[in-house]
Structure formats: C-alpha cells, structure tokens
Amino acid sequence: MLPRIIDRYVIREVIPPFLLALLVFTFILIIPFIIDLAETMIAKGVPGETIVWLAVTLLPQALALTIPMALLIGLLVGLGRISADREFVVMMACGISPYRLLQPILVFAVICWGLTSWVMLEAMPDGNQAFRESTAEIIMNRAEGEVRPRIFFEDFPNVVLYVREIPNDGLGWRGVMAADTSNPSAPAVFLADRGRMVVDRQARTIDMVLENGAQHRTKVEDPMAYEVVKFDRYIMSLSPDNVFPRTGPARGERELRVDELAVRVTELEMQGISAHNPIMEIHRKFSIPVSCFVFALIGLALGASNRKDGKLAAFVLGIGVIFTYYVIMITAQSLTKGFWIPPGLSTWLPNIILGTAGVVLLVNRARSADQPIRIPVPAFLVRDRSNGRVQPGTAPAVAATPRPAVVIRIPHFDIPRPTLLDAYLSRQYLRILAMTTAGMLGLFYISTFIDKSDKVFKGTTSLGRVLEFLMWSTPQFLSYIIALAVLLSALVTIGLLTKNSELIVMRACGVSLYRTMLPLVAFGLGGSAILFGLQEQVLAPANQRAERLDHEIRTGEPRTFGVLNRKWIVGSRGEVYHYQYYDPRTRQLNGLSVFEFDGRSDRLSSRMSVRRATYTPKLGTHAWALDDGWTRRFDPGTQLGDFERFEAAPATLEPADYFVTEAREPDLMNFGQLREYVRELRASGYDVLEHEVGLHRKIAFPFVTLVMTLLAVPFAVTTGRRGAMYGIGVGIVLALVYWTMISVFAAFGQGGLIDPALAAWAPNLVFGAAAAYLLLTVRT
C-alpha cells in the first residue's frame, strides 16, 4: 500500500509544475511566430478566427519540444519541493531508494514519450502543412483589399496602381492611375475616374475594371507615335498564377513523414546531393521523444536531494539542463553540415551525453543519499585559503570564510530609518536583476552563436567575425532583456518579502506598501532612461553594424547598403515621376518620365520623357540638366496637343535626395532620423503608417519598465506566498501578454484602424490602468 501512496504523491507533486511549464514554454515558442504575422494580418483585415487557427496549427511544432522540457522542469520543481521540506531525507531513512522513486517517474516519462512521438510522427507534419496552406490562402486573398489611397501599390504582377480616393464603403476606387510595366522602358498608362478589382476564385481569374478613362501609350523608338485611347470601360486581366497557386505549398522536410523523408533521401543521393538534412530529420523524429527518458533520469538525480533552495533554483537548474541539451544538438548538427560527424549521430548525441550523465548522477545519488552531488576538482585548482598554496588531494572548503562586515554608507537626506530598508531592498533587487540580465544575455549569446556556428565550421566566416557580430548585437539584446528583467526582479523581490513575512513586519512598523516600493519604482525609471538612451544613442549605429556583419556571415560577401529606388514617386506639386534607375554617385536619373495633371489626378496636362537627367545644384536646389527628351501637352479633353523634342534643356524638378531614400527599418534609426524618414516617404506618396507607429513607439516603449514595475508589485503581494516559481510564471505570462498587445495594436495602427500614436501607447495605457487599479485595491 505504501509504495502506491508514494507513487501517487510523487506524480501529484510533479504534474502541476509540469503543466505550468508546458503552458509557458509552448506560448514562448508560438508567440514569436504569431507576433511576426499578427501585425500584417490584422492590418489586412484577416479575421481573428483565422489567426487563432494559425496558432493551433503551430501547436504540434511547439509541443514536440516543450513536452520533454516541461517534464524535466516538473520533476525538478516537484522533487525540489519535496527536498526543500526534507521529505526526501525521510524517505531515504525509511529505506526508499532513488531507484524506487524511478518507477512512477518512468511511467510518467513513457506517457510523455508516447505523446511526443505522436506529435513528431503524425501531428507536426500535418500541422506545419496546414499552417503553410493557410498562409498561402491569406496571400492569395491579398488581391482584394490591399490598395490604399495615395500610395503606390506594386504587388499585382506587372502593374503599378495609384488611387486618389477610396470611398468609405471600401468598394472601388476613385481617381485611378494604373501603369502596365510589362515593357518597363515604355509603360502604358491608364487614367480613369473609377476602378475596382474583380476576383473569381472558382474560375481563378483576376480583373482590374477601369471606367471612364483613357489609355496613354508611346514607343521608345518613335515618341511621336503617341496614342490616347478613351474608354468607358476597360478590363485589365492579371495573371492568376501569380495570385492563385495551382496547388498548395510543397511540403518541406518538417512537413514530411518518415517514409516520405526516406524517399527524399534516395532522390538526393541519386542526384549526388548531400542528404544530411532529411537524414537528420528522420532521426530527430525518434531522438527527441527519447529525451523524455534522459530528462527523467537527470530530473530524479538532481531533484531528489537534501538541498533547501526550493523551486526557484530548480527552475533555473532545469533551464540550464535544457539549454545544454539543445546546445549539444545544434552544435552537432552544425558539425554535420560541416561534414565533421555523420548525420545519424548528430541528433542522438545529446541523448548519449546527457543520458550517460543522468545514469552517473543517479547512481551517485543512490550511494550518497543525504549528500550533495560533488564534481571532482583537479588538485592544482584547489588552494589553501590560509596561505594560498596548492593543497593536492583536498576539496574546496564548503564553509565560507568569515568576511569583514560590509558597511553601507547612505547619504543623509533627512529621511529616517526607512533608508536602511531602501538599501536592503535595493541589494536584493539588484542581485536578482543582475542574475536575470546576465542569464538572459548569456542565452542570447549562446543561441546566436549556435545559429552562426555552422558558417564557422564550413569556413565561410571566421570566429572573430561572429564574436564581433555578438558585440554589436548586445545593445539590441539588452533592449529585449531590460523590460523582462525589471519585471521579474520586482516580482521575485516583493514575492520573497511576502513569502518570508517580511512585508507584514514592515507594515507593523508603519511602512506602507507604497513606501516599500519606492526603490523599485526608482529602478523602473532608471530602466526607462537606459532604454531611451539605448534607442537614441546606441541602437541605431549598433544595429546597422550588426546587420552588415550578419549579411557578411550569411553570404560570405560584404554588404553594400544600397538605396531604395522607388521608381514611382509623387512630387510636392502632385506630379508623378517614373524612372528606371537612379545613380546616387552621379545623381543621375535614367529613363525619367514626368506626368503633370490639370488639378485632377485622372486628367493629364503634360508628359515629359528624357533619357537622362543630371542634378545641377550649382544652378539651384531644384535644377536639373535634361538630355535627349521630349514633351507633349494635352488639351482639357485629353486630346493630343503640342509635341516638342530637345537634345538638352534645363528643368525644375524635385531635389536629388527626394528621389532616393536609404532602405532602413525603424530600429536602424533614432527618433530624429526616423521622423525625417517618415516625412520623406510621406512626401513621396508611400505608406508611412508602419513607420509612424515605430516613431511613436520609440517614445512609448521605454516606459515599459516603469509600467511593469507598478504592475509587478500588487501581483507579487497576492502570489508571493506561492514562491518564486509562480512569480517567474506570472512574469512570463505578463510579458507575453504585453508583447502580444504591442503587435496587435501596432497592426491596428498600420492598418489605419486607429491613430499611430494610440497604437504605440495603448499597451502602456492598458497595463498602466491595470497597475493603478491593483495598487489602489491591494492591502498596503
């Protein structure tokens, strides 16, 4: 009877942290994919149920990794709780060995192994393929609702579309200019009062219908042969193959089953192509489920001990083991790609190494039940603390040498006794903040290095280049880390005070919660200042350098930051410029056409075409020298008018910088640079909603540390007695919700549904309001 009670007791302790870890890890793996798509999809009007369905299709891919990970965390946290309460020592005293506890744990591991195997062999291939097909369907539907007023739209094949106005009902366009660019040197231009898109999914046809307009066509070799054809209704058929895929997306290696992968291996080998990728995918489908047994051994050996550090240390230890497992796996796969080890071994190597370590640790645990696991240290590394000499055969002293008392001198600001409390809270907070920041920064370093390591093994880049990339990427890593580190530090600090009843003592001494949290609020403001400083002074040049190095590492070639040749631009007076190429070194426009209108965007007043235009700033800011061109003017009825040809002529156009803008993302610019970039794009007729949201976000995002601190305090007070593990879980969930809200509201802003400023500030306003409510209702 006793063994069955113990089995149920152990499983009951393991299941809750297992489920919590499974939930957290699964969301961590899924949310980045959803965030990347959410802003675009919501902005394009994709229904919410479609986005939810995409998340569901990604679940198998995430569960394949998170089930073994959650098993290890569940074992370490559950057994860690038993060990912290000294129950494991009592079991050992009653003759229950770790081998006996292995029985229920192996049963649980078999269940996890079965679930992971089903996910890897059946659910994940179908889920990944369903995700690919769903995204392809969304791309197909882009043909209907993508056009925005006064923005050049170039997603339709061989067609550039410019619309002056879209009615409030969203049906059709007004003031349409469409250019057929099948012949880029002489595009046919259509001007119409109205237009709309007709999509027939059954017949797989797409037509652009233009009404009450005229077609302008010319020939490069004979510009006098200019044609203007008026029409009441014109139908421009688009190629359906570019919009409607004939079949669903082809299955990739991760979407194939084992038998299909085996066929692909045979095909690649017959073609003389290396088949290491599908071979590794076949072995991965079996090696990852087996990791459940490896983690079961390690979880029991490390979880069942006599330590008293509890759940927080168990969680950190589990993260370290998991990370070690995937470091070994990814490194082994990189070695395989570099032809250093066979592909079949690379996916099994983590199980072999950590499985062996798990067996050794478990045997050691069974032999020394009430002793901590010790790792032998070479004698030459062990020093005698009394004289600093090497003492062969001795182990490091466990007891710490008494240290002189640390005297903390706090400046006098006429603040009574609570200043000592501030120092106490600050030390504890900064200790947790330092560990959290260093740990997460280390994860970024190692994961990024693993991602780039195959290039080093293949010899396409050097180790120094990768380390330089890591150095320049550090500011971006810190911008990701600081907000979460501040949140976790505040949660754990207040949570520990609550669990140890220190917060009650402070209240009994007349120190309210509001006074207690002042140091944490100060650190939150400091985090905001650091984030803002990073964005304004460090991130822009560091990200540019990191992006350049990343391109060199991936391609092996130096990157030349080019310019965005936009080719279709609206001038400051409403004229439309079209050119084939712009050379920023010589400031020359090649194949330039200028369309001027008579006040209505659907009626041309003149059209000019030149072979080359050279910017001449000595003659004026807007002065250009034109070579080999012609000008044609039109009467109000769009009938042909005067034609004039010239070999050289001056002209007043927009300045040279107006025609070119460096293709840069918001994170590659500070606030001032991005503001100027938005102004240039807006003047050129391009969509700036995305960049406007990014502009306002540069001011709004740094306040996340203050908002998270204010929100963390009441949460920590209410959940603190459950320990640091729950604090970490709450922190991760809050961070996920915040980042999801950032993407959702940014998508609303980019889609024009809400003001860009509101889209950037909305997450802070929502979380700030929640923090204010909780602070006003929590017991102080």
Side-chain angles (χ1 to χ4, degrees):
M1 188 66 176
L2 182 61
R4 288 190 296 176
I5 294 176
I6 291 178
D7 293 345
R8 292 197 300 268
Y9 181 72
V10 171
I11 296 298
R12 191 167 60 245
E13 289 296 320
V14 169
I15 287 179
F18 165 78
L19 294 177
L20 177 62
L22 183 65
L23 178 65
V24 171
F25 289 150
T26 302
F27 270 106
I28 288 176
L29 290 180
I30 289 180
I31 287 297
F33 295 98
I34 300 301
I35 288 177
D36 290 341
L37 296 172
E39 295 187 13
T40 302
M41 289 183 177
I42 296 176
K44 299 180 187 310
V46 177
E49 56 269 20
T50 302
I51 299 177
V52 172
W53 167 246
L54 288 176
V56 171
T57 60
L58 288 174
L59 275 176
Q61 177 179 330
L63 290 173
L65 302 178
T66 57
I67 291 176
M69 295 163 58
L71 171 64
L72 176 61
I73 296 297
L75 289 173
L76 289 175
V77 173
L79 296 178
R81 204 283 306 163
I82 295 175
S83 299
D85 293 342
R86 311 293 288 174
E87 296 177 25
F88 182 70
V89 176
V90 175
M91 293 181 188
M92 297 300 167
C94 295
I96 301 175
S97 69
Y99 300 132
R100 176 61 190 83
L101 294 180
L102 187 60
Q103 295 180 18
I105 292 174
L106 282 180
V107 171
F108 194 46
V110 168
I111 296 174
C112 294
W113 167 81
L115 290 174
T116 308
S117 297
W118 175 78
V119 168
M120 292 291 295
L121 297 174
E122 297 292 335
M124 190 174 74
D126 293 338
N128 286 356
Q129 183 64 14
F131 175 81
R132 290 158 61 91
E133 291 176 352
S134 298
T135 52
E137 179 71 16
I138 293 171
I139 294 173
M140 180 185 69
N141 292 336
R142 293 183 63 193
E144 294 181 333
E146 288 290 293
V147 180
R148 295 174 181 170
R150 303 184 183 277
I151 302 297
F152 285 105
F153 184 79
E154 303 182 59
D155 283 5
F156 297 139
N158 298 323
V159 173
V160 176
L161 183 63
Y162 182 83
V163 175
R164 183 183 61 182
E165 181 183 354
I166 295 181
N168 294 331
D169 57 10
L171 300 177
W173 315 310
R174 293 177 183 170
V176 182
M177 176 179 180
D180 183 351
T181 58
S182 301
N183 182 6
S185 60
V189 178
F190 299 83
L191 302 170
D193 288 338
R194 295 178 303 277
R196 56 193 172 91
M197 191 68 61
V198 178
V199 180
D200 189 338
R201 290 183 175 81
Q202 298 296 329
R204 297 175 59 83
T205 61
I206 292 184
D207 296 322
M208 183 187 301
V209 180
L210 304 177
E211 299 177 353
N212 190 20
Q215 176 187 9
H216 293 250
R217 184 184 297 273
T218 186
K219 296 180 179 180
V220 177
E221 62 276 9
D222 186 10
M224 293 190 64
Y226 196 98
E227 297 179 352
V228 178
V229 180
K230 302 181 69 174
F231 56 80
D232 294 327
R233 180 184 176 93
Y234 185 89
I235 298 177
M236 182 184 298
S237 297
L238 305 180
S239 173
D241 293 337
N242 292 322
V243 180
F244 297 107
R246 294 187 178 274
T247 60
R251 285 180 176 257
E253 291 170 356
R254 303 195 68 181
E255 290 76 47
L256 297 178
R257 291 183 170 83
V258 174
D259 55 341
E260 296 170 329
L261 285 168
V263 172
R264 178 163 294 187
V265 170
T266 303
E267 293 175 350
L268 292 176
E269 290 177 346
M270 292 179 61
Q271 298 173 11
I273 302 174
S274 175
H276 59 265
N277 284 332
I279 292 176
M280 286 191 296
E281 189 63 35
I282 292 175
H283 286 275
R284 191 181 295 114
K285 290 182 181 295
F286 297 97
S287 64
I288 289 181
V290 171
S291 66
C292 294
F293 299 107
V294 174
F295 288 157
L297 293 174
I298 295 177
L300 176 58
L302 298 180
S305 66
N306 67 340
R307 66 177 190 270
K308 301 181 181 180
D309 41 18
K311 298 178 181 179
L312 178 60
F315 183 83
V316 175
L317 181 61
I319 293 296
V321 173
I322 292 169
F323 192 77
T324 301
Y325 181 91
Y326 286 102
V327 164
I328 297 173
M329 174 177 286
I330 298 176
T331 303
Q333 292 173 0
S334 298
L335 292 173
T336 295
K337 294 178 181 179
F339 301 99
W340 288 33
I341 62 176
L345 177 62
S346 61
T347 57
W348 290 97
L349 199 59
N351 290 339
I352 296 173
I353 295 176
L354 292 185
T356 303
V359 171
V360 172
L361 291 174
L362 184 59
V363 171
N364 187 32
R365 171 62 60 215
R367 290 177 178 177
S368 53
D370 195 33
Q371 298 296 325
I373 295 177
R374 299 180 182 276
I375 299 176
V377 179
F380 67 87
L381 295 178
V382 182
R383 294 182 176 275
D384 184 358
R385 294 182 183 273
S386 60
N387 53 23
R389 293 179 299 175
V390 175
Q391 301 294 322
T394 62
V398 176
T401 304
R403 296 177 298 176
V406 178
V407 179
I408 301 178
R409 301 184 182 277
I410 303 176
H412 182 66
F413 293 106
D414 293 329
I415 299 178
R417 182 179 175 182
T419 53
L420 297 177
L421 177 61
D422 293 339
Y424 173 73
L425 289 175
S426 299
R427 286 198 302 270
Q428 184 161 301
Y429 177 91
L430 291 175
R431 177 176 61 87
I432 299 172
L433 180 66
M435 290 191 302
T436 305
T437 303
M440 289 191 290
L441 192 60
L443 291 177
F444 272 105
Y445 282 148
I446 297 175
S447 61
T448 304
F449 178 79
I450 292 171
D451 182 53
K452 310 295 182 186
S453 60
D454 62 323
K455 304 298 182 182
V456 178
F457 296 137
K458 291 180 179 179
T460 58
T461 190
S462 64
L463 178 62
R465 186 67 55 84
V466 174
L467 295 179
E468 185 182 1
F469 170 74
L470 291 176
M471 180 186 70
W472 289 107
S473 298
T474 299
Q476 186 65 63
F477 294 159
L478 287 174
S479 69
Y480 295 146
I481 289 170
I482 290 176
L484 183 58
V486 168
L487 172 63
L488 293 178
S489 300
L491 281 167
V492 174
T493 299
I494 299 297
L496 291 176
L497 292 178
T498 304
K499 183 179 181 181
N500 298 330
S501 301
E502 295 176 270
L503 204 58
I504 296 177
V505 175
M506 296 177 191
R507 292 173 181 171
C509 295
V511 180
S512 70
L513 178 64
Y514 300 143
R515 178 59 186 88
T516 304
M517 63 182 285
L518 280 182
L520 308 188
V521 173
F523 287 123
L525 286 172
S528 297
I530 292 174
L531 279 177
F532 186 78
L534 281 175
Q535 288 186 163
E536 287 302 296
Q537 302 297 329
V538 181
L539 275 181
N543 285 347
Q544 292 179 32
R545 189 68 177 270
E547 188 176 89
R548 184 181 296 112
L549 289 169
D550 181 56
H551 182 270
E552 294 178 7
I553 292 171
R554 286 187 290 105
T555 64
E557 299 177 355
R559 177 174 183 176
T560 302
F561 280 91
V563 294
L564 177 62
N565 285 298
R566 292 169 284 175
K567 297 190 177 181
W568 291 90
I569 299 176
V570 176
S572 58
R573 302 183 304 274
E575 71 275 26
V576 173
Y577 295 91
H578 168 61
Y579 57 91
Q580 296 183 26
Y581 176 71
Y582 174 76
D583 188 344
R585 294 170 299 178
T586 59
R587 292 187 172 187
Q588 286 185 348
L589 288 166
N590 296 274
L592 174 66
S593 295
V594 183
F595 301 86
E596 294 186 354
F597 301 89
D598 62 356
R600 298 180 57 192
S601 63
D602 55 348
R603 294 292 183 269
L604 273 181
S605 61
S606 68
R607 177 176 178 177
M608 181 178 66
S609 178
V610 297
R611 184 174 61 86
R612 183 176 59 249
T614 304
Y615 186 52
T616 55
K618 294 182 179 179
L619 301 179
T621 306
H622 299 266
W624 291 78
L626 308 181
D627 296 329
D628 190 13
W630 53 266
T631 301
R632 182 176 291 277
R633 303 186 183 281
F634 305 93
D635 62 22
T638 68
Q639 301 297 319
L640 295 181
D642 297 336
F643 176 82
E644 178 185 355
R645 189 158 192 168
F646 55 84
E647 294 183 0
T652 301
L653 308 176
E654 300 292 342
D657 294 340
Y658 193 85
F659 293 91
V660 59
T661 303
E662 185 177 344
R664 298 165 63 184
E665 296 300 322
D667 60 353
L668 299 180
M669 293 173 278
N670 59 30
F671 181 82
Q673 293 170 337
L674 182 56
R675 181 173 55 188
E676 181 64 20
Y677 183 68
V678 168
R679 187 193 65 79
E680 293 175 357
L681 287 183
R682 184 186 292 112
S684 301
Y686 273 74
D687 184 7
V688 297
L689 286 176
E690 178 181 356
H691 291 82
E692 281 188 324
V693 174
L695 180 66
H696 291 287
R697 189 184 291 176
K698 286 187 177 294
I699 302 296
F701 180 72
F703 287 95
V704 62
T705 56
L706 177 61
V707 173
M708 288 298 182
T709 300
L710 296 176
L711 189 63
V713 172
F715 262 104
V717 172
T718 55
T719 62
R721 292 196 175 277
R722 299 183 178 182
M725 175 65 184
Y726 286 88
I728 293 176
V730 169
I732 293 176
V733 171
L734 290 175
L736 290 175
V737 173
Y738 181 84
W739 283 104
T740 302
M741 289 184 64
I742 285 180
S743 296
V744 170
F745 280 103
F748 288 153
Q750 295 170 17
L753 301 178
I754 61 176
D755 184 77
L758 179 60
W761 283 94
N764 286 348
L765 295 176
V766 173
F767 272 69
Y773 172 79
L774 293 174
L775 284 173
L776 292 175
T777 56
V778 73
R779 295 182 61 184
T780 61

mmCIF file of all heavy atoms in Angstrom, residues 530-547:
data_model
loop_
_atom_site.group_PDB
_atom_site.id
_atom_site.type_symbol
_atom_site.label_atom_id
_atom_site.label_comp_id
_atom_site.label_asym_id
_atom_site.label_seq_id
_atom_site.Cartn_x
_atom_site.Cartn_y
_atom_site.Cartn_z
ATOM 1 N N ILE A 530 17.514 54.090 -19.387
ATOM 2 C CA ILE A 530 18.504 53.288 -20.114
ATOM 3 C C ILE A 530 17.964 52.876 -21.471
ATOM 4 O O ILE A 530 18.664 52.944 -22.493
ATOM 5 C CB ILE A 530 18.898 52.057 -19.273
ATOM 6 C CG1 ILE A 530 19.685 52.494 -18.034
ATOM 7 C CG2 ILE A 530 19.722 51.083 -20.102
ATOM 8 C CD1 ILE A 530 19.988 51.362 -17.077
ATOM 9 N N LEU A 531 16.707 52.441 -21.514
ATOM 10 C CA LEU A 531 16.108 52.052 -22.792
ATOM 11 C C LEU A 531 16.064 53.212 -23.773
ATOM 12 O O LEU A 531 16.392 53.062 -24.957
ATOM 13 C CB LEU A 531 14.700 51.510 -22.560
ATOM 14 C CG LEU A 531 14.570 50.059 -22.115
ATOM 15 C CD1 LEU A 531 13.116 49.708 -21.867
ATOM 16 C CD2 LEU A 531 15.157 49.117 -23.157
ATOM 17 N N PHE A 532 15.651 54.381 -23.273
ATOM 18 C CA PHE A 532 15.585 55.542 -24.160
ATOM 19 C C PHE A 532 16.977 55.931 -24.643
ATOM 20 O O PHE A 532 17.173 56.263 -25.818
ATOM 21 C CB PHE A 532 14.929 56.712 -23.445
ATOM 22 C CG PHE A 532 14.683 57.901 -24.328
ATOM 23 C CD1 PHE A 532 13.619 57.920 -25.221
ATOM 24 C CD2 PHE A 532 15.533 58.997 -24.295
ATOM 25 C CE1 PHE A 532 13.403 59.000 -26.055
ATOM 26 C CE2 PHE A 532 15.332 60.092 -25.120
ATOM 27 C CZ PHE A 532 14.252 60.088 -26.008
ATOM 28 N N GLY A 533 17.957 55.896 -23.740
ATOM 29 C CA GLY A 533 19.314 56.210 -24.147
ATOM 30 C C GLY A 533 19.852 55.231 -25.177
ATOM 31 O O GLY A 533 20.546 55.631 -26.127
ATOM 32 N N LEU A 534 19.541 53.951 -25.001
ATOM 33 C CA LEU A 534 19.972 52.956 -25.980
ATOM 34 C C LEU A 534 19.381 53.262 -27.349
ATOM 35 O O LEU A 534 20.067 53.217 -28.372
ATOM 36 C CB LEU A 534 19.552 51.558 -25.527
ATOM 37 C CG LEU A 534 20.396 50.874 -24.454
ATOM 38 C CD1 LEU A 534 19.760 49.546 -24.049
ATOM 39 C CD2 LEU A 534 21.817 50.627 -24.947
ATOM 40 N N GLN A 535 18.076 53.579 -27.378
ATOM 41 C CA GLN A 535 17.417 53.852 -28.653
ATOM 42 C C GLN A 535 17.987 55.076 -29.351
ATOM 43 O O GLN A 535 18.167 55.084 -30.568
ATOM 44 C CB GLN A 535 15.910 54.043 -28.430
ATOM 45 C CG GLN A 535 15.172 52.753 -28.094
ATOM 46 C CD GLN A 535 13.669 52.952 -28.023
ATOM 47 O OE1 GLN A 535 12.901 52.015 -28.080
ATOM 48 N NE2 GLN A 535 13.242 54.192 -27.877
ATOM 49 N N GLU A 536 18.285 56.102 -28.585
ATOM 50 C CA GLU A 536 18.694 57.365 -29.194
ATOM 51 C C GLU A 536 20.179 57.418 -29.544
ATOM 52 O O GLU A 536 20.558 58.074 -30.517
ATOM 53 C CB GLU A 536 18.342 58.526 -28.255
ATOM 54 C CG GLU A 536 16.870 58.830 -28.197
ATOM 55 C CD GLU A 536 16.298 59.167 -29.555
ATOM 56 O OE1 GLU A 536 16.714 60.182 -30.127
ATOM 57 O OE2 GLU A 536 15.461 58.404 -30.054
ATOM 58 N N GLN A 537 21.010 56.761 -28.759
ATOM 59 C CA GLN A 537 22.450 56.944 -28.928
ATOM 60 C C GLN A 537 23.181 55.691 -29.403
ATOM 61 O O GLN A 537 24.230 55.805 -30.028
ATOM 62 C CB GLN A 537 23.071 57.412 -27.591
ATOM 63 C CG GLN A 537 22.487 58.695 -27.053
ATOM 64 C CD GLN A 537 22.737 59.878 -27.967
ATOM 65 O OE1 GLN A 537 23.749 59.931 -28.672
ATOM 66 N NE2 GLN A 537 21.818 60.842 -27.964
ATOM 67 N N VAL A 538 22.659 54.512 -29.111
ATOM 68 C CA VAL A 538 23.439 53.293 -29.317
ATOM 69 C C VAL A 538 22.827 52.363 -30.360
ATOM 70 O O VAL A 538 23.529 51.852 -31.233
ATOM 71 C CB VAL A 538 23.613 52.534 -27.979
ATOM 72 C CG1 VAL A 538 24.451 51.273 -28.178
ATOM 73 C CG2 VAL A 538 24.258 53.437 -26.931
ATOM 74 N N LEU A 539 21.524 52.135 -30.280
ATOM 75 C CA LEU A 539 20.904 51.087 -31.089
ATOM 76 C C LEU A 539 21.069 51.316 -32.587
ATOM 77 O O LEU A 539 21.360 50.364 -33.326
ATOM 78 C CB LEU A 539 19.418 50.969 -30.742
ATOM 79 C CG LEU A 539 19.058 50.091 -29.548
ATOM 80 C CD1 LEU A 539 17.558 50.061 -29.347
ATOM 81 C CD2 LEU A 539 19.589 48.688 -29.732
ATOM 82 N N ALA A 540 20.829 52.532 -33.051
ATOM 83 C CA ALA A 540 20.859 52.776 -34.495
ATOM 84 C C ALA A 540 22.203 52.404 -35.116
ATOM 85 O O ALA A 540 22.254 51.571 -36.033
ATOM 86 C CB ALA A 540 20.497 54.228 -34.786
ATOM 87 N N PRO A 541 23.340 52.969 -34.656
ATOM 88 C CA PRO A 541 24.611 52.572 -35.280
ATOM 89 C C PRO A 541 24.985 51.127 -35.005
ATOM 90 O O PRO A 541 25.560 50.460 -35.870
ATOM 91 C CB PRO A 541 25.625 53.543 -34.646
ATOM 92 C CG PRO A 541 24.984 54.015 -33.388
ATOM 93 C CD PRO A 541 23.524 54.041 -33.648
ATOM 94 N N ALA A 542 24.640 50.627 -33.797
ATOM 95 C CA ALA A 542 24.986 49.232 -33.483
ATOM 96 C C ALA A 542 24.204 48.264 -34.355
ATOM 97 O O ALA A 542 24.749 47.273 -34.860
ATOM 98 C CB ALA A 542 24.716 48.957 -32.005
ATOM 99 N N ASN A 543 22.915 48.527 -34.561
ATOM 100 C CA ASN A 543 22.109 47.637 -35.400
ATOM 101 C C ASN A 543 22.555 47.676 -36.849
ATOM 102 O O ASN A 543 22.524 46.658 -37.546
ATOM 103 C CB ASN A 543 20.633 48.011 -35.288
ATOM 104 C CG ASN A 543 20.009 47.563 -33.989
ATOM 105 O OD1 ASN A 543 20.581 46.762 -33.260
ATOM 106 N ND2 ASN A 543 18.840 48.091 -33.679
ATOM 107 N N GLN A 544 22.945 48.852 -37.327
ATOM 108 C CA GLN A 544 23.446 48.934 -38.697
ATOM 109 C C GLN A 544 24.712 48.098 -38.861
ATOM 110 O O GLN A 544 24.865 47.369 -39.845
ATOM 111 C CB GLN A 544 23.717 50.395 -39.061
ATOM 112 C CG GLN A 544 22.475 51.259 -39.175
ATOM 113 C CD GLN A 544 22.807 52.702 -39.526
ATOM 114 O OE1 GLN A 544 23.766 52.975 -40.225
ATOM 115 N NE2 GLN A 544 22.009 53.623 -39.021
ATOM 116 N N ARG A 545 25.605 48.198 -37.880
ATOM 117 C CA ARG A 545 26.847 47.421 -37.955
ATOM 118 C C ARG A 545 26.561 45.920 -37.831
ATOM 119 O O ARG A 545 27.144 45.103 -38.566
ATOM 120 C CB ARG A 545 27.785 47.872 -36.827
ATOM 121 C CG ARG A 545 29.185 47.297 -36.909
ATOM 122 C CD ARG A 545 29.941 47.846 -38.107
ATOM 123 N NE ARG A 545 31.307 47.358 -38.148
ATOM 124 C CZ ARG A 545 32.326 47.985 -37.563
ATOM 125 N NH1 ARG A 545 32.104 49.137 -36.930
ATOM 126 N NH2 ARG A 545 33.542 47.498 -37.637
ATOM 127 N N ALA A 546 25.641 45.563 -36.924
ATOM 128 C CA ALA A 546 25.297 44.153 -36.757
ATOM 129 C C ALA A 546 24.628 43.595 -38.013
ATOM 130 O O ALA A 546 24.891 42.454 -38.404
ATOM 131 C CB ALA A 546 24.378 43.980 -35.545
ATOM 132 N N GLU A 547 23.776 44.384 -38.647
ATOM 133 C CA GLU A 547 23.105 43.921 -39.871
ATOM 134 C C GLU A 547 24.114 43.706 -40.982
ATOM 135 O O GLU A 547 24.029 42.737 -41.744
ATOM 136 C CB GLU A 547 22.050 44.940 -40.288
ATOM 137 C CG GLU A 547 21.173 44.462 -41.424
ATOM 138 C CD GLU A 547 20.070 45.453 -41.746
ATOM 139 O OE1 GLU A 547 20.311 46.349 -42.577
ATOM 140 O OE2 GLU A 547 18.984 45.334 -41.163
#
